[in-house]
């Protein structure tokens, strides 16, 4: 995981969510043009858009996953340091 991939988590996550919403909307719009009722078209768009979005937005998904993993590592280190400080360990106080 490079810092370049994990540096812009809020931007990447926002782009990924917007792309998924646009994909569901496009599928539902296409189906509604074909005469499918709107609610049914939205449900089909959700069901079809979930796996299709994973395939189409694979790179963006990888960037979001890398950012979340990096954030999780930082939080785990901070939690371990806090626990060490609460126990009174010297290793936790030196950092």
């Amino acid at each position: 995981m490079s810092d370049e991939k994990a540096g812009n988590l809020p931007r990447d996550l926002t782009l990924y969510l917007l792309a998924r919403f646009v994909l569901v909307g496009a599928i539902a719009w296409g189906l509604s043009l074909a005469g499918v009722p709107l609610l049914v078209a939205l449900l089909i768009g959700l069901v079809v858009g979930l796996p299709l979005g994973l395939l189409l937005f694979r790179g963006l998904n990888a960037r979001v996953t890398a950012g979340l993993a990096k954030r999780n590592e930082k939080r785990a280190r901070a939690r371990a340091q806090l626990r060490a400080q609460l126990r009174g360990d010297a290793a936790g106080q030196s950092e």
Side-chain angles (χ1 to χ4, degrees):
M1 257 181 304
S2 67
D3 288 335
E4 179 183 320
K5 282 187 176 181
N8 298 315
L9 178 62
R11 181 197 61 164
D12 290 340
L13 186 59
T14 303
L15 284 173
Y16 185 65
L17 287 173
L18 286 175
R20 298 288 296 261
F21 283 136
V22 167
L23 179 64
V24 169
I27 292 170
W29 179 72
L31 288 172
S32 66
L33 284 179
V36 178
L38 184 60
L39 186 58
V40 175
L42 282 173
L43 289 174
I44 293 173
L46 281 173
V47 170
V48 172
L50 289 174
L52 192 59
L54 289 174
L55 291 174
L56 292 177
F57 309 124
R58 188 176 297 149
L60 195 53
N61 187 5
R63 290 196 324 230
V64 169
T65 303
L68 289 172
K70 186 165 184 71
R71 187 186 72 171
N72 192 24
E73 287 174 12
K74 288 180 185 178
R75 291 179 70 189
R77 270 187 269 134
R79 190 179 316 118
Q81 181 181 0
L82 178 62
R83 285 182 180 163
Q85 288 175 351
L86 290 173
R87 282 192 310 265
D89 292 346
Q93 295 173 353
S94 66
E95 293 181 355

